[in-house]
Amino acid sequence: MTIRHVLTGLTAALFALGASFSNAQEFPGKPVTLIAPFPAGSVTDTVTRTLAQGLQEVLGQSIVVENRAGAQGTVGAAHVARSKPDGYTLLMASSGMFVAKSFYKTLSYEPTDSFQAVAGVGSTSMMFMVPEASPIRTIEDLTRAARADGKSVSIAFGSPSGQLALSLYSSAAKVNPVPVSYRGIPQALTDLLGGHVKVAIVDVGNGVAQISSGKMRALAISAQARTPAAPNVPTLEEAFPNVGVSLETIIAIVGPAGMPPAVVEKLSNATQAVLARADVKARFASLNTAMLPLGTAQLIQRIRSDNPKWEALIKRAGIEPE
């Protein structure tokens, strides 16, 4: 290699570094779109809108929230994966989406390699809900009903986490209720109230809100420990000890792979600044959603450590890719 080649390579590297720095300095120079891959009213949507408002103030640019729901979040994920990696199109992702190949045989993107992790935002777990008037009062009642006649017990879900929670429960209880998939949790709740399904599995935030309204009752929660927001609701682990049916999902911002590092850093720092605000902490508390303020490197490590656990749970639950 000649000196000329070395100088040429060094010049190119310095130019790229300068361009990255320039991108970060100028970013964002136009509105940023934050994709919520689940319908309005879902915990992901609500968290997305809360964060968008804060980011708009920190970054000094409009943050547009766009719902692209369908196929358990993979419709929105596919849209972001094929977007230009400039930081202007981002995704509010969740744990189930990082292991989407365990749910779907064919995807137009790679669940992890097609994305650049940006920042951790929050975490939640799932609740098994029934209408207040339901004769099913406990998770044990649900198990007895499903063992007596599984075809008469329909259980709705509207997220990958809900699907996995249902499969873990069914495996632990050795029952075969009828699974009913929805585009999102709000639709599952609507049909539960309408009497079209017997049970719905929803995020804790939606579940606690329904308990407070007096319209529904919770049978169990998928978290490892009871939630302070509903301390009387037992965990699945209590009903099935030593089986390992606890499940919690993270919520995080990601973008298309190949984003400029300086832009990623700017977005990550802005997210941490928003999550540190007292009003945002209060909003998360009202949503019964735990905060998970992870920087980029921490989020990457969390995804790497969580994915094998999720894949093992999915395999143990007997879920086959569709």
Side-chain angles (χ1 to χ4, degrees):
M1 181 178 289
T2 66
I3 293 177
R4 181 170 61 84
H5 288 142
V6 172
L7 291 175
T8 300
L10 180 60
T11 300
L14 289 172
F15 178 81
L17 181 63
S20 177
F21 179 76
S22 177
N23 286 338
Q25 289 290 92
E26 297 171 1
F27 180 87
K30 61 180 181 180
V32 174
T33 298
L34 189 51
I35 300 295
F38 296 103
S42 64
V43 65
T44 303
D45 172 77
T46 308
V47 166
T48 301
R49 294 180 187 279
T50 299
L51 196 67
Q53 184 176 350
L55 285 174
Q56 188 163 288
E57 296 168 7
V58 172
L59 293 172
Q61 185 58 266
S62 297
I63 309 294
V64 180
V65 175
E66 182 180 331
N67 293 92
R68 283 182 176 259
Q72 306 298 340
T74 59
V75 170
H79 172 75
V80 174
R82 61 176 177 262
S83 297
K84 187 177 180 180
D86 54 9
Y88 287 99
T89 304
L90 305 170
L91 173 72
M92 192 66 82
S94 55
S95 295
M97 297 166 65
F98 298 128
V99 290
K101 281 193 170 182
S102 294
F103 296 101
Y104 295 99
K105 292 178 181 178
T106 304
L107 290 172
S108 62
Y109 62 92
E110 288 295 322
T112 53
D113 293 346
S114 294
F115 300 99
Q116 166 63 57
V118 175
V121 176
S123 67
T124 187
S125 55
M126 310 306 293
M127 265 187 176
F128 286 65
M129 309 292 298
V130 294
E132 180 59 38
S134 172
I136 298 173
R137 312 293 298 183
T138 65
I139 199 72
E140 289 79 14
D141 288 345
L142 175 60
T143 300
R144 282 190 288 270
R147 286 176 179 169
D149 182 10
K151 293 181 179 180
S152 70
V153 179
S154 51
I155 302 183
F157 59 87
S159 70
S161 299
Q163 181 180 1
L164 180 52
L166 171 56
S167 294
L168 287 172
Y169 160 72
S170 298
S171 175
K174 296 179 173 54
V175 296
N176 292 293
V178 178
V180 185
S181 177
Y182 287 83
R183 291 178 68 249
I185 287 171
Q187 290 74 17
L189 283 170
T190 297
D191 270 13
L192 179 64
L193 283 173
H196 302 293
V197 292
K198 294 290 182 67
V199 183
I201 302 175
V202 309
D203 60 89
V204 170
N206 267 303
V208 172
Q210 294 298 328
I211 293 171
S212 300
S213 73
K215 295 179 180 179
M216 296 187 189
R217 184 172 60 257
L219 305 179
I221 186 174
S222 71
Q224 197 161 26
R226 295 192 183 199
T227 174
N232 294 326
V233 180
T235 66
L236 284 175
E237 291 277 5
E238 291 176 56
F240 306 101
N242 305 316
V243 176
V245 287
S246 65
L247 177 73
E248 296 184 24
T249 182
I250 65 171
I251 303 169
I253 295 178
V254 302
M259 289 171 59
V263 171
V264 174
E265 183 179 9
K266 190 167 188 177
L267 285 167
S268 180
N269 290 341
T271 302
Q272 305 312 309
V274 172
L275 294 176
R277 287 171 33 169
D279 61 325
V280 175
K281 290 181 179 180
R283 179 59 175 153
F284 269 64
S286 72
L287 295 172
N288 296 295
T289 300
M291 283 190 158
L292 191 70
L294 301 178
T296 303
Q298 292 173 306
L299 175 58
I300 291 172
Q301 184 56 44
R302 177 65 183 264
I303 293 171
R304 285 176 178 168
S305 63
D306 276 8
N307 279 5
K309 299 174 186 177
W310 272 70
E311 288 165 354
L313 286 173
I314 291 168
K315 184 176 181 180
R316 201 190 80 206
I319 294 177
E320 295 290 338
E322 297 178 359

